[in-house]
């Protein structure tokens, strides 16, 4: 797969605050790319530079083969952005909001009506077209935000915390739509999120800390590098678990034993077959990776 986003040695400061420091990464066409970091790590600053809303101090940004410094108008046509804060007009109806936004891309008349019908079916909002946006629920509002970002059929969908505060069913609906767009349109999705189970589904992850890359790789690579494995043992007493000589914690109806990697888990099982009668092995989670890499937990909120 070819790179659709190439960022090299990007720098951006706000006075004494170095928001982005020597940032370099690649995003491949069609992949789900997760861009993670606590508030203030530099995620939104990077996105705003990519979208032309902020000027960079130095470095290069190339999107869809075009340098941001040379033809920003082309880049904006390739990006669909769902910001943390909605840019829709609360007083206007869903229809009027989308009609006015589409017109900015030259999509009018029958072309608009056709695209609106496609998006209303995809995101299930045909019954909301006459409703003022300000009267929508959080989940309904977010679906219209995404429809607005998709009107012009962008190659890259930037989702800045798209599911924060939404109920599980709405989050599932949104992720089903994203999966459909990636499968059918080969759309690239650039995601920031505070939900680690969403990040775990990404093709590639970059973790930012204080404007710098602290770690990057596939979810499996990051789990292997920064977390161990866990063996959950059922139907055993604590004395048997203690005899293994490994760190453990009691659960409600089991014990969870920590091991550095799968190889050591296998060796432990072979050495103590009488203890390992009913058990399961699991990898560490992305929450564990993030905490190990940054020393911080991931929480919601606004950031630079």
């Amino acid at each position: 797969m070819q790179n659709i986003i190439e960022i090299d040695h990007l720098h951006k400061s706000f006075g004494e605050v170095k928001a982005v420091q020597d940032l370099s990464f690649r995003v491949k066409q069609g992949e789900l790319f997760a861009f993670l970091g606590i508030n203030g790590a530099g995620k939104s600053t990077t996105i705003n530079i990519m979208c032309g809303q902020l000027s960079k101090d130095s470095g290069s940004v190339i999107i869809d083969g075009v340098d941001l410094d040379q033809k920003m108008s082309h880049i904006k046509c390739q990006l669909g952005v769902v910001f943390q804060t909605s840019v829709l007009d609360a007083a206007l109806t869903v229809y009027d909001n989308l009609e006015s936004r589409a017109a900015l891309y030259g999509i009018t008349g029958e072309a608009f009506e056709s695209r609106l019908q496609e998006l209303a079916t995809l995101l299930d909002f045909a019954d909301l077209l006459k409703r003022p946006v300000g009267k929508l629920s959080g989940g309904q509002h977010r679906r219209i935000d995404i429809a607005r970002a998709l009107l012009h059929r962008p190659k890259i969908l930037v989702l800045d915390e798209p599911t924060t505060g939404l109920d599980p069913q709405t989050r599932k609906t949104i992720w089903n739509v994203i999966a459909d767009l990636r499968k059918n349109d080969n759309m690239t999705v650039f995601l920031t999120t505070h939900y680690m189970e969403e990040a775990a589904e990404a093709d590639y992850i970059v973790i930012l800390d204080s404007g710098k890359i602290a770690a990057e790789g596939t979810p499996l690579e990051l789990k292997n590098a920064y977390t161990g494995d866990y063996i959950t043992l059922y139907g055993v007493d604590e004395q048997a678990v203690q005899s293994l000589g490994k760190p453990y914690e009691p659960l409600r109806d089991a014990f969870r034993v920590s091991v550095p990697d799968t190889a050591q888990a296998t060796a432990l099982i072979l050495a103590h077959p009488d203890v390992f009668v009913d058990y399961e092995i699991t990898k560490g989670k992305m929450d564990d990776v993030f905490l190990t890499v940054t020393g911080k937990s991931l929480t919601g909120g606004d950031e630079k």
Side-chain angles (χ1 to χ4, degrees):
M1 291 186 293
Q2 65 181 14
N3 296 325
I4 195 164
I5 299 174
E6 299 179 2
I7 292 182
D8 286 295
H9 306 295
L10 187 65
H11 289 263
K12 179 65 181 179
S13 297
F14 299 94
E16 297 298 315
V17 178
K18 295 180 178 179
V20 175
Q21 304 181 61
D22 198 28
L23 186 62
S24 299
F25 62 85
R26 303 285 185 269
V27 180
K28 294 188 179 299
Q29 184 172 359
E31 78 177 354
L32 172 57
F33 179 93
F35 199 49
L36 308 181
I38 64 164
N39 299 331
K43 304 188 306 297
S44 289
T45 296
T46 303
I47 288 172
N48 286 333
I49 291 172
M50 288 168 51
C51 297
Q53 293 191 315
L54 269 180
S55 61
K56 54 185 172 59
D57 295 339
S58 61
S60 68
V61 177
I62 296 175
I63 296 177
D64 193 31
V66 175
D67 192 310
L68 178 145
D69 292 334
Q70 296 177 356
K71 204 172 182 182
M72 189 65 224
S73 59
H74 172 84
I75 290 175
K76 285 184 176 180
C77 289
Q78 310 313 314
L79 294 172
V81 187
V82 179
F83 296 101
Q84 291 184 33
T85 303
S86 177
V87 295
L88 297 173
D89 190 326
L92 296 180
T93 65
V94 169
Y95 182 95
D96 289 342
N97 262 285
L98 295 179
E99 184 181 38
S100 62
R101 301 290 171 169
L104 297 176
Y105 292 99
I107 305 170
T108 60
E110 291 184 6
F112 167 68
E113 295 294 342
S114 175
R115 185 59 175 152
L116 178 65
Q117 185 176 359
E118 290 175 3
L119 292 171
T121 301
L122 181 69
L123 287 153
D124 191 23
F125 63 83
D127 58 334
L128 303 176
L129 291 173
K130 296 182 180 180
R131 295 267 297 276
V133 164
K135 300 291 185 181
L136 302 180
S137 68
Q140 292 169 336
H141 200 142
R142 183 56 34 157
R143 280 185 278 151
I144 308 307
D145 282 326
I146 293 173
R148 188 265 312 157
L150 293 173
L151 279 166
H152 59 298
R153 303 183 188 274
K155 290 185 178 181
I156 304 165
L157 180 62
V158 179
L159 300 172
D160 196 4
E161 313 245 356
T163 59
T164 297
L166 300 184
D167 63 273
Q169 182 58 46
T170 302
R171 284 173 61 194
K172 182 179 179 182
T173 297
I174 288 173
W175 278 107
N176 286 342
V177 169
I178 292 168
D180 184 68
L181 290 168
R182 292 184 62 213
K183 178 181 178 181
N184 296 326
D185 300 342
N186 197 31
M187 183 175 287
T188 303
V189 178
F190 188 104
L191 169 75
T192 79
T193 181
H194 283 110
Y195 295 110
M196 288 295 95
E197 69 270 25
E198 293 180 349
E201 299 300 315
D203 297 299
Y204 199 82
I205 296 172
V206 163
I207 299 176
L208 283 188
D209 192 19
S210 301
K212 299 178 181 178
I213 293 180
E216 63 179 306
T218 67
L220 181 59
E221 288 170 345
L222 292 172
K223 289 176 184 180
N224 284 339
Y226 295 102
T227 71
D229 286 10
Y230 298 102
I231 310 172
T232 304
L233 281 163
Y234 302 97
V236 296
D237 58 41
E238 190 164 2
Q239 187 174 358
V241 178
Q242 289 175 343
S243 71
L244 300 174
K246 298 290 183 182
Y248 71 92
E249 61 176 320
L251 305 177
R252 181 174 181 179
D253 56 355
F255 293 92
R256 191 168 80 157
V257 180
S258 301
V259 291
D261 51 47
T262 305
Q264 292 200 34
T266 302
L268 197 65
I269 293 166
L270 293 174
H272 302 272
D274 54 322
V275 177
F276 293 90
V277 176
D278 189 4
Y279 65 92
E280 59 183 346
I281 303 176
T282 56
K283 293 280 185 188
K285 296 182 178 180
M286 282 305 303
D287 297 90
D288 302 317
V289 170
F290 191 89
L291 187 60
T292 300
V293 168
T294 67
K296 305 156 189 169
S297 59
L298 200 55
T299 54
D302 297 326
E303 62 139 325
K304 275 289 185 188

